[in-house]
Amino acid sequence: MTDLTGIDDLARLTARAAESWPDRTAWVFDTGGEPRSLTFAEVHARSDEFAGALASLGVSPGDRVALMLRNCPEFPLLWLATAKLGAAMVPVNVNYRELDGSHVLADAGARVVVGAPEFVEMLRAIAPKAGVERVLTPGELPAGKPKPELPLPAGEQPVNIQYTSGTTGAPKGCVLPHRYWTTLARGMITEHPWLRSDDVMLTAQPFHYIDPQWHVAVGLASGARLVVLDRFHPSTFWSKVREHGVTWFYCLGMMPTLLLRQPPSEEDKRHRVRAVHASAIPRELHSRLEERWGVPWFEAFGMTETGADIRVRPQDHDEVVGTGCIGTPVPGREVAVLGPDDRPVPRGETGELAIRGVGLMLGYHQRPDDTVRAFRNGWFHTGDLVRMDDRGRIYYVGRTKDMIRRSGENISADEVERALLLHPGVRLAAVIGVPDEIRGEEVEAFVVPADGADPTPDELAEHCAAKLAYFKVPRYWKVVDELPMTASERVAKGRLKSADPLAGAYDRVARAWL
């Protein structure tokens, strides 16, 4: 049942799934202890109950509800409940602390936050300055409240403010409409990987990321079962794939590399997986991944701002394995490779990837200038460098943004620098990414002490850990007398990167000077 005609919002999508497959298992949360399962009918009914609870707290169309929960059914249920009210969900990274957490809540204008008990103390501490009215756990939500009768949301109505780190400054909120999700879901059931009601998907990423959320949307559209793990565990990942009869999954970042580093097993090819999609497959490992598990791995490209954009097609797969090819545009997407003047470059030359089509974000929340700049000339400028061959296939080259990509996480260098500057012993700070075999990149900080101060790397790391998510805390540290500056008084990071940045640095993981 793939006809989604007239379905352009999550409320209708949920109701249609409950009507089409009421008794079929929709979700299995295998996140510790006994797995928790819900049918499509239960998903619809329980999200209605949560919608009634939120409405009783005063949540109405246009409001924002923040969620700070680990992987549990309550996260997607509250997301769908928020969607049914015409409100927008704001996911909060569970690793956030005072500085980054309060920024997201204040910037989004969240009225209500639903958090796990472990986060409630921190959330209540930052709520007043963030403008949050109520902080509750899922168990504290009022029970037995009827869902209000409201007009169904429109396709372009915001349903998420999804924060993603940009090139500079604190994370920016991507305003995602209902049509973003239905467009993405429709494409994955009408085009490769052609997900169907007899498929079983699996996600091992936290729900505050975009990926588990689109898995939910695809499951509601296709009738496929979604298995959710607490997080990615390389040593047990494939055993969970076999245990749950998974037929398709998506992964990214260092996941393929860590899977390959597990000891080979006679069980490696005993599974039901028919295809794997992944972003940034290590090209030198691509063939080994397929040989070991006996299944094709397909490269895919997408962004929080744009959804699903580019995928390798089955007919191209064999030819492009290990080449760095990310595929061709999916239906409904156009791409261009642009030079510095925003004009297309000749085929084969490197330029910035630009995207346009249906179902992209509406813009950056409360950042009109950033939105205009990103969508200039009618194209969304990704900040990624690519080239296109004569057959329209796209090959990834690199990034233009001042952003560090560590283990699949986007880290704004500026955000880490701002946290460092809050330390009284820091006068100047610069943060860069350095290559890392396992994580893609690691974070290195260069610090100029304040007069009379002598902060140690461990002291500075502890300071950052109290302000930022753990994955943003620099691994490598250099305390220097000065930083190279440009004529416009900006740090010349190119010079930092070109002068053997790790020479003489302190590695806080190894607790040693290099």
Side-chain angles (χ1 to χ4, degrees):
M1 184 177 181
T2 60
D3 184 15
L4 293 175
T5 303
I7 305 293
D8 62 358
D9 66 87
L10 290 176
R12 288 184 179 89
L13 198 64
T14 306
R16 170 185 173 274
E19 181 180 351
S20 302
W21 311 287
D23 300 323
R24 179 173 294 163
T25 299
W27 305 337
V28 177
F29 277 76
D30 188 352
T31 55
E34 192 68 24
R36 299 171 64 186
S37 300
L38 286 87
T39 66
F40 284 101
E42 289 171 332
V43 167
H44 187 34
R46 292 198 59 192
S47 58
D48 271 358
E49 292 171 5
F50 276 133
L54 292 173
S56 73
L57 298 175
V59 175
S60 57
D63 284 339
R64 271 82 70 188
V65 176
L67 304 180
M68 193 173 188
L69 301 167
R70 298 194 185 275
N71 284 8
C72 60
E74 287 75 16
F75 193 116
L77 287 170
L78 283 161
W79 178 39
L80 297 176
T82 303
K84 290 178 176 182
L85 293 176
M89 184 267 288
V90 182
V92 180
N93 190 314
V94 297
N95 298 301
Y96 278 5
R97 293 297 178 262
E98 174 191 350
L99 184 66
D100 35 18
S102 60
H103 164 74
V104 166
L105 295 177
D107 187 74
R111 291 187 58 194
V112 174
V113 182
V114 182
E118 63 189 293
F119 305 128
V120 164
E121 181 179 356
M122 180 195 73
L123 289 169
R124 287 178 175 159
I126 64 178
K129 62 182 177 182
V132 173
E133 298 173 10
R134 299 285 295 272
V135 176
L136 309 94
T137 66
E140 293 173 333
L141 287 166
K145 303 294 183 180
K147 181 178 79 69
E149 294 300 323
L150 295 168
L152 287 168
E156 292 305 306
Q157 188 168 344
V159 70
N160 285 60
I161 301 180
Q162 189 84 25
Y163 280 81
T164 182
S165 293
T167 58
T168 59
K172 293 184 294 218
C174 302
V175 182
L176 308 182
H178 283 262
R179 188 168 285 119
Y180 174 101
W181 301 103
T182 57
T183 299
L184 194 159
R186 184 180 288 108
M188 294 192 69
I189 64 177
T190 59
E191 300 290 333
H192 190 257
W194 302 297
L195 288 164
R196 309 178 302 263
S197 60
D198 58 348
D199 273 310
V200 180
M201 305 181 292
L202 180 143
T203 184
Q205 293 174 267
F207 253 93
H208 55 254
Y209 292 157
I210 202 79
D211 300 323
Q213 297 173 46
W214 63 250
H215 280 78
V216 167
V218 172
L220 292 172
S222 65
R225 178 179 301 180
L226 173 60
V227 177
V228 181
L229 305 182
D230 62 332
R231 60 187 179 91
F232 176 65
H233 302 275
S235 62
T236 58
F237 182 85
W238 277 99
S239 65
K240 290 297 182 182
V241 167
R242 288 187 285 271
E243 176 185 342
H244 291 285
V246 172
T247 61
W248 180 89
F249 67 84
Y250 168 83
C251 63
L252 79 169
M254 67 178 180
M255 294 169 68
T257 301
L258 292 178
L259 289 173
L260 268 179
R261 293 196 173 194
Q262 300 307 303
S265 166
E266 294 180 354
E267 298 291 310
D268 280 345
K269 293 184 180 179
R270 295 177 185 171
H271 56 74
R272 295 183 56 222
V273 178
R274 60 181 177 84
V276 177
H277 276 72
S279 295
I281 301 172
R283 61 185 66 185
E284 68 278 7
L285 302 180
H286 199 157
S287 294
R288 289 177 55 194
L289 289 163
E290 300 197 350
E291 290 166 3
R292 177 161 174 181
W293 285 287
V295 63
W297 288 57
F298 294 88
E299 184 75 48
F301 176 91
M303 300 180 68
T304 301
E305 289 91 338
T306 58
D309 305 307
I310 301 166
R311 286 196 288 268
V312 169
R313 301 173 298 179
Q315 60 266 36
D316 292 331
H317 168 270
D318 293 352
E319 187 178 345
V320 302
V321 167
T323 66
C325 178
I326 60 176
T328 53
V330 302
R333 285 287 183 274
E334 294 180 73
V335 303
V337 183
L338 306 178
D341 57 359
D342 276 352
R343 294 182 179 179
V345 302
R347 293 286 177 100
E349 292 190 10
T350 296
E352 183 180 7
L353 175 65
I355 295 170
R356 67 184 179 190
V358 176
L360 277 62
M361 74 167 182
L362 301 179
Y364 292 113
H365 182 61
Q366 297 192 123
R367 297 192 179 212
D369 292 343
D370 288 338
T371 301
V372 170
R373 186 161 46 249
F375 281 100
R376 63 186 181 274
N377 302 322
W379 292 90
F380 179 79
H381 291 62
T382 66
D384 291 293
L385 297 173
V386 300
R387 60 181 175 83
M388 183 185 295
D389 67 16
D390 290 337
R391 296 165 64 180
R393 295 184 300 200
I394 302 161
Y395 296 78
Y396 189 77
V397 175
R399 295 190 300 278
T400 63
K401 301 180 179 181
D402 183 15
M403 182 169 61
I404 302 161
R405 182 80 168 175
R406 180 187 184 274
S407 299
E409 299 277 3
N410 288 333
I411 302 170
S412 165
D414 181 75
E415 186 181 25
V416 182
E417 290 161 0
R418 289 188 300 108
L420 278 169
L421 290 172
L422 293 175
H423 190 286
V426 173
R427 182 169 67 88
L428 290 175
V431 171
I432 64 171
V434 292
D436 183 81
E437 182 181 355
I438 297 297
R439 303 186 183 280
E441 288 185 302
E442 276 283 7
V443 185
E444 181 175 12
F446 295 76
V447 174
V448 178
D451 292 341
D454 188 23
T456 66
D458 286 332
E459 176 189 343
L460 294 171
E462 290 178 7
H463 167 80
C464 285
K467 300 293 184 185
L468 302 168
Y470 77 92
F471 57 81
K472 301 177 183 179
V473 179
R475 173 176 177 174
Y476 301 108
W477 296 84
K478 278 189 176 182
V479 179
V480 296
D481 294 330
E482 59 182 9
L483 292 171
M485 307 295 286
T486 68
S488 58
E489 290 301 308
R490 296 179 181 272
V491 176
K493 291 189 176 181
R495 291 166 60 187
L496 292 177
K497 295 179 180 180
S498 64
D500 193 1
L502 292 181
Y506 177 75
D507 180 349
R508 69 178 178 87
V509 175
R511 293 192 174 279
W513 294 92
L514 303 179

